[in-house]
Amino acid sequence: MPYHRYRPFQERVHVPVPADQRRSWPEARIERAPLWVPVDLRDGNQALAEPMDTGRKRRFFDLLVSMGFKEIEVGYPSASRTDFDFVRHLARRGGGGDDVTVVVFTPAKPELIDRTFESIEGLPRAVVHLYIPTSPVWRDMVLGRSRAEVYEVVKEAAAHMARLADARPDADIRFQFAPETFNLTEPDFVLEVCDGLTELWDASPDRPVTHNLPATVEIATPNVYADQIEYMHRNLARRDSVILSVHPHNDRGTGVACAELAVLAGAQRVEGCLFGNGERTGNVDLVTLALNLYAQGVDPMIDFSDIDAVREVVERCNRLPVHPRHPYAGDLVHTAFSGTHQDAISKGFAQHARRAAELGVPEREAPWDVPYLPVDPADIGRTYEAVIRVNSQSGKGGMAYLLRTRHGLDLPQGMRPDFSRVVQEAMDDSGQEATAKELYELFRATYVAPGRDGEVALCSWTTDRAPDGAHRFVCTLQVGERAGDFEGVGNGPLSAFADALAAAGIGVDILDYAEHAVGEGGGSEAAAYARCRVGDVVRWGAGLDTSVLTASVQAVLAAVNRAGAAG
């Protein structure tokens, strides 16, 4: 591949570092959420094959408001009639309440700025977002202007915006500037332009301006963007009167990392899209960013408690699917197929339940520390049903977890590897995933059915206890074509049953036994599990019945028939 055609970032842009060579961002910590600004309705909408109409935009806008976003970029009103009409729709029908501010986007052209201000007529609050490309390649190839000429265009546009805002003293109109392609622009030039607009717009702490510094096309590793942002953070004039914003894209697949490092470097505001829609490889993903903070114990200030509902609206409005492996929201993101993962998760759930009981709090309130699950799926509205799913790669822990949580069967530890082999053989044959229902049916067919329908059948039976404490088991057994009455004695019903089987010529040793209630209440079923040696063959069997004793007898008989079939 002709890699020599491409230049490394250091040959394209100078990235200044502090004079003392000490960067502050590597040691910083994110302890509170930045101001999140979704740009789905503008930047994200531009990237759709089928841009949203007013109805879809309104549904998306209402979702963003309900989630708690306080500043929302809603359109590029000078670019299309649809965007203009949507901003007018918000002006007439309401823009989301008293605490929500809409942002509109405009290039540095007077007639387009006029059109933009026309669109926000009647809105009580708005941010007008001015942009112009500033990097050398854009100045030379796209604009055909020098640095000084670009700066002059920006100043004239900013002054025009200030005059239009002053003509509307009844509205709270604030300003934002974006030097598009910031990450490819000379840092001193960006600083010169931003400081000039901060002064021109007379920014103050109670009326700050926003300087939005986009990684329009990613060109370097995230630490480089962090250095660029820290340079601006340290050197911007009237720093307390400036909201330092970032707008990362994802061309190198590192948009989330760029945003996180930028916040460490001093950014106070992050623009992006839900689930990362945007031009080329997309804008930075606000869902991932916000829930990354949540997973660190920081309040993201946005409500993701029903992530599936959020995803449904976004997919419907964008007409794009969310990837099944999307962090936090994908269909498969909380799912484990691997046996080792399933075992760890299952043990983690059990330990979490014990810890909650020890603390005397509900499981939903106990500290979360479960392997492979950075957040509790229930916190974002996901169920546990899809956490563990079974295919040919799955292990004993996952299968046992599904049988326990979905069907109340708590298999003994020694039985789990045996059932795992049964499942894996079935999955290898089918090549398909097994549902919890299919696992249950396979378990019943393998371990329970032989106790009710096998070579050795128990036609009738009774048991009692003699005054000396010995148990007696009397039964009629059908062994193939032969039927007979048999009796056995033992220190318990099952040992007496084994003795009766021995009288019929079937030698049985009961090696392991376990039982439990399947549900709650007096009418619930009992489950019994028995591991038996019949001759040289050892097999597990299981029984299910409302009577514990009946289930136990069925479990032993199932093991006998499975051993006979194997022999």
Side-chain angles (χ1 to χ4, degrees):
M1 296 178 66
Y3 64 90
H4 58 276
R5 300 178 60 206
Y6 304 97
R7 292 180 294 156
F9 79 89
Q10 62 268 26
E11 295 181 10
R12 304 175 69 187
V13 64
H14 170 63
V15 181
V17 296
D20 59 3
Q21 296 296 308
R22 283 193 54 82
R23 298 166 169 84
S24 63
W25 61 262
E27 298 175 1
R29 299 290 183 269
I30 302 177
E31 297 179 343
R32 62 189 181 93
L35 173 63
W36 308 114
V37 181
V39 296
D40 300 81
L41 302 178
R42 194 275 300 174
D43 201 349
N45 190 53
Q46 291 175 194
L48 297 178
E50 300 177 49
M52 288 180 269
D53 57 18
T54 294
R56 284 157 63 198
K57 274 199 166 192
R58 182 72 209 209
R59 184 173 183 184
F60 208 133
F61 178 83
D62 289 342
L63 169 71
L64 296 171
V65 171
S66 71
M67 294 173 69
F69 289 103
K70 301 304 181 186
E71 195 171 306
I72 303 169
E73 191 165 86
V74 298
Y76 191 159
S78 65
S80 74
R81 182 72 191 181
T82 302
D83 272 24
F84 182 90
D85 288 347
F86 181 67
V87 180
R88 294 307 306 143
H89 165 85
L90 292 177
R92 292 191 300 268
R93 302 286 183 87
D98 294 337
D99 60 347
V100 175
T101 300
V102 302
V103 183
V104 288
F105 193 70
T106 182
K109 295 183 178 181
E111 69 277 12
L112 301 184
I113 293 171
D114 289 342
R115 179 71 168 165
T116 301
F117 270 79
E118 182 184 349
S119 74
I120 62 173
E121 179 70 41
L123 282 171
R125 290 171 316 284
V127 172
V128 180
H129 182 178
L130 173 70
Y131 85 95
I132 194 169
T134 54
S135 64
V137 67
W138 263 258
R139 295 195 308 258
D140 296 343
M141 296 185 182
V142 181
L143 301 179
R145 296 176 186 269
S146 66
R147 278 178 49 155
E149 289 171 331
V150 168
Y151 188 15
E152 191 62 32
V153 169
V154 172
K155 284 195 296 184
E156 289 178 4
H160 187 54
M161 287 169 53
R163 288 191 294 271
L164 292 174
D166 288 343
R168 298 185 187 178
D170 56 328
D172 180 11
I173 300 175
R174 293 185 289 112
F175 304 125
Q176 175 176 336
F177 171 63
E180 191 185 9
T181 65
F182 155 78
N183 59 323
L184 273 168
T185 304
E186 306 93 330
D188 66 304
F189 181 45
V190 176
L191 191 64
E192 178 186 6
V193 175
C194 288
D195 284 349
L197 296 192
T198 300
E199 181 178 357
L200 188 153
W201 284 331
D202 194 21
S204 62
D206 61 344
R207 190 174 176 77
V209 299
T210 298
H211 288 312
N212 188 49
L213 309 178
T216 306
V217 178
E218 282 195 302
I219 61 162
T221 50
N223 60 295
V224 174
Y225 190 53
D227 283 343
Q228 292 174 311
I229 298 302
E230 184 166 89
Y231 171 81
M232 297 297 294
H233 169 58
R234 290 186 174 191
N235 292 286
L236 279 168
R238 301 196 198 185
R239 184 64 186 88
D240 61 350
S241 301
V242 173
I243 297 172
L244 181 55
S245 176
V246 292
H247 181 112
H249 278 256
N250 200 44
D251 301 87
R252 302 178 79 251
T254 58
V256 167
C258 280
E260 291 181 327
L261 267 59
V263 172
L264 292 173
Q268 301 151 282
R269 179 181 184 269
V270 177
E271 293 189 349
C273 292
L274 298 188
F275 306 114
N277 175 51
E279 298 283 7
R280 303 177 308 283
T281 58
N283 291 315
V284 70
D285 179 353
L286 295 187
V287 175
T288 299
L289 282 170
L291 288 175
N292 280 355
L293 286 185
Y294 182 77
Q296 295 293 309
V298 176
D299 184 355
M301 305 300 289
I302 300 296
D303 183 4
F304 290 103
S305 60
D306 191 351
I307 196 72
D308 287 338
V310 173
R311 188 183 69 177
E312 189 275 330
V313 173
V314 174
E315 287 182 327
R316 183 177 295 273
C317 292
N318 282 345
R319 295 178 179 170
L320 290 173
V322 171
H323 196 282
R325 293 293 183 190
H326 178 280
Y328 304 107
D331 280 337
L332 298 177
V333 69
H334 300 297
T335 299
F337 289 101
S338 161
T340 54
H341 289 205
Q342 292 175 344
D343 183 61
I345 291 170
S346 180
K347 290 175 179 175
F349 277 144
Q351 177 61 27
H352 179 72
R354 288 192 293 270
R355 186 184 301 117
E358 291 168 0
L359 295 173
V361 297
E363 290 185 31
R364 287 293 303 275
E365 297 179 15
W368 182 256
D369 193 15
V370 174
Y372 293 112
L373 296 175
V375 299
D376 184 347
D379 285 352
I380 53 176
R382 307 295 290 271
T383 69
Y384 293 132
E385 294 180 4
V387 171
I388 291 178
R389 291 162 62 175
V390 171
N391 61 17
S392 61
Q393 302 298 309
S394 303
K396 58 185 183 297
M399 300 165 196
Y401 173 83
L402 288 177
L403 286 181
R404 183 178 72 252
T405 58
R406 299 293 297 279
H407 298 285
L409 299 179
D410 190 6
L411 272 59
Q413 288 289 341
M415 190 180 191
R416 295 177 186 184
D418 191 82
F419 183 49
S420 175
R421 288 188 289 273
V422 171
V423 174
Q424 287 180 335
E425 183 177 346
M427 295 301 97
D428 283 335
D429 289 342
S430 71
Q432 303 294 316
E433 177 187 350
T435 65
K437 180 181 179 183
E438 288 168 339
L439 288 176
Y440 179 68
E441 291 172 349
L442 183 59
F443 175 83
R444 288 184 65 102
T446 303
Y447 298 100
V448 178
R452 299 175 177 177
D453 182 19
E455 180 69 13
V456 180
L458 193 57
C459 303
S460 63
W461 60 277
T462 61
T463 183
D464 57 38
R465 190 172 185 178
D468 63 359
H471 289 260
R472 190 168 67 109
F473 195 99
V474 179
C475 62
T476 300
L477 286 171
Q478 179 86 30
V479 183
E481 300 297 325
R482 179 171 55 89
D485 297 326
F486 303 94
E487 181 177 331
V489 178
N491 60 8
L494 291 188
S495 62
F497 178 39
D499 193 47
L501 288 168
I506 304 170
V508 179
D509 292 320
I510 301 174
L511 306 177
D512 287 304
Y513 173 79
E515 64 183 44
H516 65 80
V518 174
E520 298 180 356
S524 65
E525 273 192 322
Y529 313 91
R531 186 169 71 98
C532 302
R533 180 186 294 115
V534 183
D536 295 330
V537 180
V538 176
R539 288 290 183 268
W540 279 94
L544 294 169
D545 197 90
T546 53
S547 162
V548 176
L549 180 57
T550 300
S552 304
V553 170
Q554 288 177 351
V556 172
L557 191 57
V560 168
N561 279 317
R562 294 190 70 231

